[in-house]
Amino acid sequence: MAKPGGGGGEREASGLPGRGSRRPSGPVLPAGGGRAGRAAARARLRAHARPEQALRGGRPAPLPGSAPTAGRPAARTGPRPSATTPAGAPATPQAAAPEAAAPEAAAPARGRPVRAFPGTPGTPAPPAAGEPGGGPHPGARSDTAPTSLHPSRRTEGGSLLDVVRVAIVILDTSGRVVLWSPAAEQMLGWPSEVLVGRAIDQLIEDRAQVERTAAALRETLRRGSWHGFAELSDRDGVPVEVEARLSLLVDGDGAPYVQAALTEAAALRAVERDLAVRDALFEQSPLGIAVLDTELRYTAVNRTLAEMNGLPAEAHVGRTTGETMPERSADEITAIQRQVLATGEPVIDVTLASPSTARAGYRSISYSRMTDRSGRVLGISGTVMDVTERYRAVAKVEGARRRLSLLNEFGSRVGDLLDAAMIAQELAGAVVPRLADYAGVILLQAVAHGDDLPRHGHDRHTSLLQLGVAAIQQGPAVETMLRHGARITFEEDSVFGRVLRSGVPEMLSGGSGPEELSFPGDPKVEAARELGVHSRLVVPLRARGIVIGLLVVSRAGYREGFDRDDLAFTVELADRAGSSLDNARLYARERTAALTLQRALLPQQVPQPTGVEVAYRYVPGSSGTEVGGDWFDVIPLPGDRTALVVGDVMGHGLRAAATMGRLRTAVRVLAALDLAPEEVLRHVHELADDLAQGPDEALLATCVYAVFDPARRSLTVTKAGHIPPVLVVPGSGAEPARSGGPLPGGTGRVVDLPSGAPLGVGGVPFESIELEVPDGSLLALCTDGLVESRDKDLDVGLGRLVSVLEQPYASIQQACEAVLDTMEQGREPDDVALLLARLGRGRADVPTAGWTLPAEPTAVSRARRLVRGTLADWGVEEYTDTAELLVSELVTNAVRYASAPIGVRLTLGEDLLVEISDPLPDPPRERHAGAGDEGGRGLELVRRLALRWGTRAEGLGKVVWFELADSEVQPPESML
C-alpha cells in the first residue's frame, strides 16, 4: 500500500493486490441478519472453506457439488445465497437444484461461469425474471458493448460519471460492509443484500492483500484518509483494479465509519489520458485552436491562436470574431462560421490573408460543428494554421510556371516579327498586367531605323525613342508617362544613364527618389507619382554586349512591390527581347540596303512618250520577306514608238535585286537596237549565264515585252513565262483619249500569247503577236505578286484585275490605286510591279509625210526632190542639205540590194526623223572605206551626220532610220 495520496508505495503498505494481478475470489461467507447471524455465518464459512485457498495465488478450488473444468473453475449449479435464507440452514445441491435452473439459464454469458458468493454454494439464487418477486437482479449487469474508455463497459447517457463510476462503500471500523451503493453493484456485480454485514476482505483471497487492506483501514482511522490502488474480484471472478480513496466519517453518536470511494482504474486512466491528450492538443499544439458557442463567441482559444491574433486568450473569451479582428478579415471568417454552424458541413483548409498585422502572411482555417452525445449542437471548433511559407512556396512555384509560360508565349509572338517597333509593343503588352501595371520599352534610334549600333558609350546625347507602351488604365497621367514615339532625354547620373552605361538593372522601391529616374523636373515622374507608382524596374535591353534600350516596368496601388525573383525574370525576358530586336535591326538594315539598291536600279524617271500615257506602282514585299527582283521599264524607241517592259527575277534579297538590275540593263541595251520583241528576249536568254546570281545558280526570270507604235496604232507583244497582259478597249461612244484625262472604262480581256519559257530555261522559242488597238485602249502589265494568292488560282486574280480596270476612273493614276486596293490580304507577301499605259495616237500637230518608191535607179533622185519640197513646205529648209544627202545614200543601198518597193517617211517633231524601209530582213552593215574606194561610205555618213540612227525589223523587212537635230550639222567637205 502506498503512502496516503500516493500510488504504488501505498499498495505495498496495505497488502492489497498490485495492479493487473489475477487471483481467486476471497472466502465465502453465509448470509444472515444481525450480529449473531453474521457471527454464526462467518463460523460456518470458515468451517466449510479451505484454509489454503486464502493463501495461494492460483484460482479457487472447485466448490462442492461442481464438476471441475480444465484450466478454469467449474460453473456453479447451486442456488445463489439469499438474504432470506435462515442462518445455519443446510444448503444442499439436491434441494436447490430445481430452483437454480431458471437463474442460471438467464445468467449472462460473459466467457466464464457466474459464481455465487464465496463459501455459499447452497444459497438459492434470486427469483428469475417473470417469477413472483423476480425481475432484474440488483447486482446483475447487462451484456453491453465495450466503451472507448474501458473495453468491458459501455456508458449510457452523457455524463462523465457514466464513464468514470464512483462507487461508495461504508465500512465499520472492523472492515465490515455497512453500505454498498448501486454504483458498487454495477462495478463489481455483487448485490448489496449479499455483502452488507460481511467483511470486505472476504473479496480478497490473497492473505498479504488482506493484511495490506487492514493496514489501510488502520491508517485511515489514525490519519483520517488514505489513497491507493487495489484489486477486487467481481461476481464473474474477473479482477477489477480500482482506485480507492478512504475517508474517516463520524456519525451523530460519535461512532466512526470508513467511507471508501472506489473508481475503476482503467476508466480513470482513459479519462486522464484523454484529458492529457486534450491538454497536449489544445495548449501545446502548434496550430491555433478555438472553440465557439452557438452565438459564435469564443469559449476557449489556445496560446498559439492568441499569439496569431496578437491578443491574450482572455481577451477572446466571450467575444466574437468581428470583435477581435479587423472588419475586412472578420466578415469573411464570420460568414464561414455561420455556414458551418447552420449546415453542419465542415470547411477544411480555406486559405485567407492573415487578418493580424502582428503576423502578416496567410492562414489556413478549418471549422466543424460540435454536438454532444445526444446530438445537441454545442457550437463550432476551428483550427488555424499559419501557411505563409507554404503559400509563398506554392505561389513561388506557380509564379515560376506563369513566368515560364510568359517567356514561351512572348517567344512565339515575336519569333516571326522583324520590325523593332512591333517587337517593342509586344514586349510591353506581354508584361502588363501579368507582371506590372505599366510598361515602357525605350530603344536606341539606331535600332528603330536599322542603323549600325554605336561603338562609343551612351551619354545624354544618345537618342532614345519610346516605341512600346502598355498600361492597365488610360488617362492624361498615363499619356504623359507613356507616350508612344516620345523622345526620351536623361541626365548622365540618372537611373537611365547608369543602366545604359553599365548594363546593370536597378530596382527602385519604397524611399527611392523617382526624381533621379531621368532628369529633374521630368513630367513623367510627376505623372507616375500621381498614378501611385511605388515600385519600378529599369532593365537593359542588350544585344552583342551592347545596351540597345531599356525596359521600364512599374507597379502601383495595393500591388506588392517587385522582388529579386521579379527582377531576375525581367532580365531574362529583356535578354530574349534584345536578341529579337537586334535581329530586327539587322534585317531592317539589310532590307534598307536591298531597297536602296533596287530603287536605284529601277527607273528614276519614267518618260511619257508620244501617244502613250504611263502610270506605275512598285510595292516592296511585306516586312516578313526580303525585297524581290520585280522591275518595270518604259523605253522610248525611234518613230515615237515605245517599249513597255515588266519582269520578275526569281528569289529575294540583295542578289535578286542585283540580278534584276543587270537584266534591266540588258533589255534596255537590246531595245535601243530597235530589235523585234522576240529578238530582244532571245538575246537576253543567250546572256542568261552572265546574268545569273552566281556561278552555281542559273538565271530564272520571267518577262513581258510590248512595243506600241502610235502612228500605226499597232501593239506587238511577247512574253517569257510571265503573266499575260490585260487589254481594256473603250466603248464606241467614248471620248477621244487625251493625256491626263479620265478613263472611260470599257471591255477588258487577257491577251492570249504564246507562253514562252522563262529566261534561263530555254527549249521554247519566243513568239510575238501584233494587235491593232483602238485609240484610248488601256494596257496593264504586272508581276505575279499582284494576282496570285495561296488558296486561289491565277485565273481568279486575273479576272479580278480585268473587272477593276473595266471601271471608269478620273485618271490613270486613280486606276493604279484602285488596282492596288483590291489586292487580297491572303496573297503571297511578294513584291508587286504594276505598269498601266493608255495607248493613243501620236501628236496631232506633228507633220508626217511618206512615199513608196519602186526599186529603180530613178528612185534616188525622186526621193531627193520629195524631201526637198516637203521640208520647204514645212519651213525647215535648214534640214534640207543633210537630209537629201543621207536619204540618197540609204535609198541607193535599198535600190542596189532590194527587189521590192522602197518606203520613205519623214516625221517632224523636236527633231527630224527619216525612215527608209525595204523588204530585205538583213540589216545594213557599216564598213570603213579606203581612200581609193568609190563606195562604202553611205552608213558612215549617216553615223557622222545624224543625231541618232539605227535599224529595226518591220514585217518581213527592215527599217533604217536617222534623226537630225538642226541645220548646223553639215557634211565635211572631204565626204562630199
Side-chain angles (χ1 to χ4, degrees), residues 125-138:
E131 297 180 2
H137 195 280

Side-chain angles (χ1 to χ4, degrees), residues 7 21 43 88 155 191 198 205 303 345 351 361 409 502 642 702 735 810 929:
S21 64
T155 62
R198 301 180 185 272
E205 298 179 358
R303 182 174 54 190
E345 294 291 333
T351 302
E409 180 183 348
S502 64
T642 303
T702 62
E735 297 181 359

Side-chain angles (χ1 to χ4, degrees), residues 42-51:
R42 183 171 297 175
R44 288 194 296 273
L45 285 172
R46 289 174 180 172
H48 292 289
R50 298 182 180 182

Side-chain angles (χ1 to χ4, degrees), residues 919-931:
L920 293 180
D922 298 331
R925 296 181 180 178
E926 180 182 3
R927 64 177 182 173
H928 299 282

Side-chain angles (χ1 to χ4, degrees), residues 662-685:
R662 294 195 298 269
L663 181 61
R664 174 175 174 263
T665 302
V667 171
R668 288 188 68 89
V669 170
L670 293 172
L673 298 177
D674 208 1
L675 300 177
E678 65 274 12
E679 290 297 321
V680 172
L681 297 185
R682 183 174 63 84
H683 285 299
V684 172
H685 172 70

Side-chain angles (χ1 to χ4, degrees), residues 709-967:
D709 187 350
R712 300 171 52 236
R713 289 189 299 177
S714 66
L715 179 67
T716 305
V717 188
T718 186
K719 68 172 186 174
H722 199 80
I723 294 175
V726 172
L727 182 64
V728 179
V729 178
S732 57
E735 297 181 359
R738 58 184 179 86
S739 180
L743 291 178
T747 303
R749 64 184 178 93
V750 178
V751 179
D752 188 13
L753 295 174
S755 62
L759 300 175
V761 176
V764 179
F766 300 106
E767 301 179 19
S768 61
I769 63 171
E770 184 173 352
L771 304 172
E772 183 177 355
V773 295
D775 186 19
S777 298
L778 183 65
L779 179 68
L781 308 177
C782 65
T783 55
D784 54 1
L786 179 65
V787 294
E788 285 186 347
S789 62
R790 296 185 181 94
D791 54 353
K792 295 181 180 179
D793 294 337
L794 179 62
D795 294 340
V796 176
L798 288 174
R800 185 178 65 252
L801 177 61
V802 171
S803 63
V804 172
L805 293 178
E806 287 179 337
Q807 305 301 319
Y809 296 100
S811 65
I812 193 173
Q813 301 293 339
Q814 186 180 15
C816 273
E817 295 297 334
V819 171
L820 295 181
D821 290 341
T822 60
M823 290 191 304
E824 292 189 0
Q825 297 298 325
R827 70 180 183 86
E828 295 293 336
D830 198 2
D831 294 4
V832 172
L834 173 65
L835 181 62
L836 297 183
R838 178 160 51 180
L839 309 178
R841 296 180 179 272
R843 288 177 294 180
D845 57 345
V846 175
T848 301
W851 309 275
T852 300
L853 306 176
E856 298 175 353
T858 59
V860 177
S861 59
R862 184 179 176 184
R864 287 186 176 186
R865 289 195 302 270
L866 293 173
V867 169
R868 183 184 305 110
T870 302
L871 294 179
D873 293 340
W874 291 346
V876 286
E877 291 84 353
E878 62 271 17
Y879 290 104
T880 301
D881 295 338
T882 305
E884 281 189 45
L885 175 60
L886 298 183
V887 167
S888 64
E889 291 293 334
L890 294 178
V891 172
T892 299
N893 290 337
V895 170
R896 182 178 300 177
Y897 299 105
S899 59
I902 301 169
V904 178
R905 186 170 65 175
L906 301 180
T907 302
L908 181 59
E910 295 180 358
D911 300 317
L912 177 62
L913 174 64
V914 180
E915 296 174 297
I916 308 298
S917 61
D918 62 62
L920 293 180
D922 298 331
R925 296 181 180 178
E926 180 182 3
R927 64 177 182 173
H928 299 282
D933 295 340
E934 295 183 357
R937 294 181 176 85
L939 291 180
E940 185 176 359
L941 286 174
V942 173
R943 178 176 61 81
R944 292 194 177 190
L945 298 179
L947 178 64
R948 288 183 298 272
W949 79 283
T951 180
R952 69 173 184 274
E954 188 175 273
L956 298 177
K958 66 177 180 298
V959 174
V960 180
W961 58 270
F962 64 88
E963 292 180 351
L964 298 178
D966 52 48
S967 60

